[in-house]
Amino acid sequence: MDFNVKKLASDAGVFFTRAVQFTEEKLGQAEKTELDAHFENLLSRADSTKNWTEKILRQTEVLLQPNPSARIEEFLYEKLDRKIPSRITNGELLGQYMIDAASEFGPGTPYGSTLIKVGEAQRRLGAADRDFIQSSMINFLTPLRNFLEGDWKTISKERRLLENRRLDLDACKARLKKAKAAEAKAAAEQELRLAQTEFDRQAEVTRLLLEGISSTHTNHLRCLHEFVEAQSTYYAQCYQYTLDLQKLLGSSNREMYPSAFVGNTDSPAPPSGISPSAATIPVVPSLTGPGTPTPSSVGFTEVSPPSSGTRKARVLYDYDAADSSELELFADELITVYSLPGMDSDWLMGEKGNKKGKVPVTYLELLN
């Protein structure tokens, strides 16, 4: 019991001495032992690493999970050391809704059939999103969080201990200056030597930890590469899925349900991402007449545009020509378009420079 009381009294005394030294330093009434420039640079670098790691971590969490309620739920599961329940992604949920709607409207109808195709694509997009989130959590967020909750806490603890050792050292220096008697000076000098030894030892420990920040940067660099790789894979998958869907809707659906597209005012909306004007503006009437050749009997590179009925059109998406009869398109370029007698209403003749060929209407925005 007496030992505990003495220890509490000693701790209180040490705390009081440090508080007095700290206050006098702030008031400019006491000298402060300064760390060397290299050490200060290490401290500054460590603080910057901690601050930016926190910001990058938090913003990546927002990117991967925009819903703040879901982020809080995941945080609580982590703190309780429980497995986070699997959550369906928004894309997967949208896809399921579309497929369920198709079942009710009739999968054999143009709208129902398209809903199924789009719904399946949305489910694939959602699955790719989930894989990207899981990969980023494991390979990027977890290492950053481990640094903040592990290495940084150790560094912070040793830095606080170093600051206490410095306050003790400077307090000993102050007592030595105030000592008058030889005996008091000898005791103060002994305390100063011990304090200096403790300070030097703690400074070396802290310095080694701070120099380890370079290894942290190397580790985070590797994790950053893995994050970019996962993101690149994710966006490549999304592009491929949507491109496949676009081609599917632009070919098989038009062949199976031609009335559901251009020229049918009661038809459903065009595929996602396609300007309504591109899919619903009717083409100019064909100039039919006796002996008028059909497109199949005339080489497209030899066909001249009609004297009237040409229009300008802006290309919405890149289009790779399937054969020599089609014209390759690039997004945002302007071309001249017109129809030919007997031509499928889903296609127009396009011209740019000295090149001519068929172009799909759904890839264009017809201009006035």
Side-chain angles (χ1 to χ4, degrees), residues 119 204 239 289:
E204 180 62 18
Y239 173 75

Side-chain angles (χ1 to χ4, degrees), residues 254 258-265 267-283 314 316-317 345-348 360-366:
R254 281 199 298 268
S259 62
F261 288 88
V262 179
N264 184 0
T265 56
S267 64
S272 175
I274 303 299
S275 170
S277 62
T280 57
I281 295 178
V283 298
R314 184 174 68 88
L316 298 173
Y317 306 97
S345 61
D346 292 335
W347 295 82
L348 289 172
V361 174
T362 52
Y363 279 70
L364 305 175
E365 179 182 6
L366 301 179

Side-chain angles (χ1 to χ4, degrees), residues 32 53 66 117 127 145 171 174 198 202 253 269 274 277 339 364 367:
K32 175 182 177 182
T53 299
K117 292 180 174 63
R145 191 176 290 113
E198 291 294 328
Q202 185 58 39
N253 275 17
I274 303 299
S277 62
S339 67
L364 305 175
L367 306 177

Side-chain angles (χ1 to χ4, degrees), residues 65-138:
Q65 178 50 268
N67 187 337
S69 299
R71 290 201 304 273
I72 293 174
E73 181 183 354
E74 292 173 358
F75 174 78
L76 293 176
Y77 271 100
E78 288 180 1
K79 290 302 178 183
L80 295 174
D81 197 21
R82 296 175 60 183
K83 182 179 179 181
I84 300 176
S86 178
R87 182 183 288 109
I88 187 171
T89 64
N90 292 329
E92 290 173 312
L93 185 59
L94 174 61
Q96 190 58 52
Y97 284 167
M98 288 182 172
I99 293 174
D100 292 344
S103 299
E104 184 169 337
F105 296 148
T109 64
Y111 185 35
S113 175
T114 303
L115 276 173
I116 291 176
K117 292 180 174 63
V118 177
E120 290 175 346
Q122 295 303 318
R123 290 171 66 175
R124 288 194 293 271
L125 290 169
D129 186 26
R130 186 176 62 253
D131 292 342
F132 169 57
I133 291 174
Q134 291 177 347
S135 175
S136 299
M137 290 286 291
I138 295 172

Side-chain angles (χ1 to χ4, degrees), residues 41 118 147 194 199 226 236 256 259 271 276 286 302 308 329 356:
N41 287 336
V118 177
F147 164 72
L194 292 174
F199 173 77
E226 293 185 3
M256 294 174 61
S259 62
S286 299
E302 301 174 359
S308 62
L329 302 176
K356 301 178 183 179

